[in-house]
Amino acid sequence: GESVGLHLPTLSVQEGDNSIINCAYSNSASDYFIWYKQESGKGPQFIIDIRSNMDKRQGQRVTVLLNKTVKHLSLQIAATQPGDSAVYFCAEILSGGYQKVTFGIGTKLQVIP
Amino acid sequence: DAGVTQSPTHLIKTRGQHVTLRCSPISGHKSVSWYQQVLGQGPQFIFQYYEKEERGRGNFPDRFSARQFPNYSSELNVNALLLGDSALYLCASSYTPGTGSYNEQFFGPGTRLTVL
């Protein structure tokens, strides 16, 4: 399939190491933040979300950190596996009359076996 | 359970033509959103529909329109196609539109539109 990661920032990580993917968001009024994983030829897949009143949330092998002071979001993946290779997008959600989802630029994660 | 389905998977059109893309949400989901993803960029919000009504619209020209049917499926229409409309068009469904709170969206595989 085509590469959704063309021209995106790339992070190369050795298998088994931890990965940290960073994202800057724009709207301080956003209610939620989500990390999505997108593999080539597929739509974005939800990984983890965090509400704006939290600063950390953990899932299975993933942790999201939110720093509202500098409008920064990070995704930490523990013990990175080859199946983690994909493009990762952060998204900010502003809930109101509808759910406006604004995606960030994206980072391509390459896991080196 | 079937996820979000979209048709067709690929489409080639020429400038000035019209295109219709289709989306079937997850069973029980009443809200559908459309996104445009240009190669190398993140998806950009086009529309959100809920109960057959437009609930939100992104910064796209009037050439883009959509509708939602009583069975909650949806169509995205683009008129007078431009080369710059070449992209992956993604559909996402959720149970509700997420008014006042987040409601998880599930994405389909997308329709790859190429405009020549």
Side-chain angles (χ1 to χ4, degrees):
Chain A
E2 72 286 346
S3 170
V4 298
L6 191 65
H7 304 311
L8 291 171
T10 299
L11 174 67
S12 295
V13 175
Q14 202 73 35
E15 181 179 357
D17 288 351
N18 296 334
S19 303
I20 300 177
I21 301 172
N22 297 303
C23 173
Y25 65 90
S26 59
N27 192 340
S28 57
S30 293
D31 304 294
Y32 287 84
F33 303 88
I34 305 173
W35 280 99
Y36 286 96
K37 173 185 180 182
Q38 188 173 24
E39 296 173 289
S40 187
K42 298 183 180 180
Q45 177 186 4
F46 173 93
I47 302 173
I48 190 167
D49 64 354
I50 186 168
R51 298 175 65 121
S52 59
N53 62 355
M54 301 170 66
D55 53 23
K56 181 179 180 179
R57 188 165 188 220
Q58 288 184 291
Q60 187 176 15
R61 280 203 307 122
V62 295
T63 301
V64 56
L65 299 178
L66 174 63
N67 185 332
K68 293 183 290 293
T69 303
V70 295
K71 292 193 284 187
H72 182 268
L73 199 65
S74 71
L75 176 70
Q76 301 176 4
I77 304 174
T80 312
Q81 303 169 359
D84 295 327
S85 293
V87 176
Y88 289 80
F89 293 98
C90 68
E92 52 185 306
I93 317 295
L94 183 64
S95 299
Y98 67 99
Q99 189 166 266
K100 182 177 181 181
V101 183
T102 303
F103 283 79
I105 295 173
T107 298
K108 184 175 183 179
L109 177 65
Q110 287 183 332
V111 181
I112 304 167
Chain B
D1 280 344
V4 177
T5 58
Q6 293 186 243
S7 64
T9 55
H10 293 84
L11 200 53
I12 299 174
K13 293 283 189 178
T14 56
R15 282 180 297 174
Q17 284 190 311
H18 162 271
V19 68
T20 297
L21 310 180
R22 295 178 175 82
C23 171
S24 291
I26 291 171
S27 178
H29 284 191
K30 300 179 180 180
S31 181
V32 169
S33 296
W34 287 95
Y35 295 83
Q36 180 195 65
Q37 186 175 25
V38 174
L39 200 61
Q41 297 182 19
Q44 282 202 304
F45 173 77
I46 309 176
F47 288 111
Q48 184 178 53
Y49 274 77
Y50 176 67
E51 295 282 13
K52 299 178 289 180
E53 292 188 358
E54 181 183 305
R55 297 297 293 267
R57 183 184 182 116
N59 188 24
F60 279 81
D62 291 344
R63 298 186 295 109
F64 289 75
S65 64
R67 54 179 178 169
Q68 185 177 34
F69 300 99
N71 66 353
Y72 304 112
S73 67
S74 178
E75 284 183 354
L76 175 70
N77 296 284
V78 187
N79 292 324
L81 285 167
L82 304 174
L83 296 180
D85 295 331
S86 295
L88 180 69
Y89 288 85
L90 294 161
C91 172
S93 77
S94 58
Y95 183 66
T96 70
T99 304
S101 65
Y102 171 62
N103 203 254
E104 184 176 347
Q105 293 187 344
F106 295 83
F107 284 83
T111 294
R112 168 62 63 183
L113 172 65
T114 301
V115 182
L116 302 176

